[in-house]
Amino acid sequence: MDFKSLPRIILGLVFIFASIDKIIDPVAFAGIIKNYQILPQMMIGPVAMLLPWLEFVCGAMLVCNVLTDISASILIIMLLVFIAALLSTIYRGIDVACGCFSTDAAQISNMAETIGRDVVLLIAAALAFRFKRAESR
């Protein structure tokens, strides 16, 4: 393992870990999504079912170094959406559990801290994408 593999592997492990609680309890995760007050009611259930599996699959592909550029690209888009959703809660003055690593709605998150963490993950995803592209040339 070399230095250029670290962002890919760490990011993959973070997303695998983040998906587990949501996969185990999609109903609780749907409640957290609902608290954001962003999606229409009819989309909350499908998003609560699909998003954790997408996180898991992308994380596993990064760890296994399979389709790294595609999975990193998907995670970059997801992280940008997560950051936008978190910023919207700050703008609207809504206190919610972020649902990032837990489906416990009682855990109110520090949104500024959570956005900072997502920016770090976004940088790791960009590095994983860039290193894979450089390796492919």
Side-chain angles (χ1 to χ4, degrees):
M1 181 171 73
D2 61 13
F3 170 75
K4 291 182 178 180
S5 300
L6 283 178
R8 172 180 57 78
I9 293 171
I10 291 170
L11 185 68
L13 291 174
V14 167
F15 271 89
I16 290 170
F17 178 72
S19 70
I20 292 171
D21 205 25
K22 300 172 213 170
I23 290 171
I24 292 171
D25 194 354
V27 174
F29 184 51
I32 288 176
I33 293 172
K34 183 179 180 183
N35 290 340
Y36 276 85
Q37 303 172 23
I38 293 174
L39 293 177
Q41 184 67 33
M42 64 185 244
M43 290 184 64
I44 292 173
V47 170
M49 293 296 292
L50 294 175
L51 184 63
W53 283 104
L54 184 60
E55 289 178 342
F56 181 85
V57 169
C58 286
M61 289 189 339
L62 285 178
V63 170
C64 296
N65 200 17
V66 175
L67 300 174
T68 301
D69 50 350
I70 293 171
S71 55
S73 298
I74 292 170
L75 291 179
I76 287 170
I77 293 167
M78 289 171 57
L79 285 163
L80 290 171
V81 171
F82 295 163
I83 291 168
L86 293 167
L87 286 170
S88 79
T89 64
I90 292 172
Y91 178 75
R92 294 178 294 146
I94 300 172
D95 289 330
V96 297
C98 75
C100 304
F101 295 96
S102 169
T103 56
D104 183 2
Q107 286 184 334
I108 301 301
S109 304
N110 178 333
M111 289 301 166
E113 192 174 290
T114 304
I115 290 169
R117 184 188 60 224
D118 281 359
V119 168
V120 170
L121 293 173
L122 184 62
I123 292 168
L127 286 173
F129 181 84
R130 182 174 179 184
F131 291 153
K132 183 61 179 182
R133 285 289 171 139
E135 180 183 294
S136 301
R137 291 183 196 161

